[in-house]
Amino acid sequence: MRSKNLILIALVILLTIVPLWLKGNAEFSGADGQAEDAITQTHPDYEPWFRSFWEPPSGEIESLLFALQAALGAGFIGYYLGYSKSRGKTGEKG
C-alpha cells in the first residue's frame, strides 16, 4: 500500500513539473483573461454591462483566493468521500 501511494505521489509531482519544464516560457493565463482578450479584439467598443462590487487588490491576491477556494472544495470532497467509504465499511447507517 505504501509503495502504491509513493508511486501516485511521484506521478502527481511529474504531472506538475513536466509541463512547466516543457513550456518554461509559456504564459499561463485563465479562461477569463483569454475571453476578455478575444472580446476586445473582435468588438473594441464593447462595454461590460456589469462590474464586480469588489476586486482583489492584486493578481496575487486573486490567485490566492482562487487557490484557497479550490483547496477548500477539494478538502470537502475528499472528506465526504473518505467519510462515505469508512461508513460503508463499518456498516453504519445515517
Side-chain angles (χ1 to χ4, degrees), residues 26-94:
E27 182 178 328
F28 295 99
S29 62
D32 292 343
Q34 291 177 0
E36 184 178 345
D37 290 344
I39 290 170
T40 53
Q41 285 178 1
T42 57
H43 296 68
D45 299 332
Y46 176 78
E47 289 187 28
W49 57 274
F50 180 79
R51 294 229 180 251
S52 320
F53 62 89
W54 181 76
E55 289 191 22
S58 69
E60 289 82 13
I61 299 294
E62 186 176 356
S63 296
L64 172 72
L65 293 174
F66 185 77
L68 181 64
Q69 177 185 359
L72 288 173
F76 176 76
I77 291 171
Y79 175 78
Y80 178 76
L81 291 176
Y83 179 77
S84 297
K85 186 174 180 177
S86 66
R87 198 173 77 185
K89 281 184 178 177
T90 60
E92 183 181 319
K93 294 182 180 177

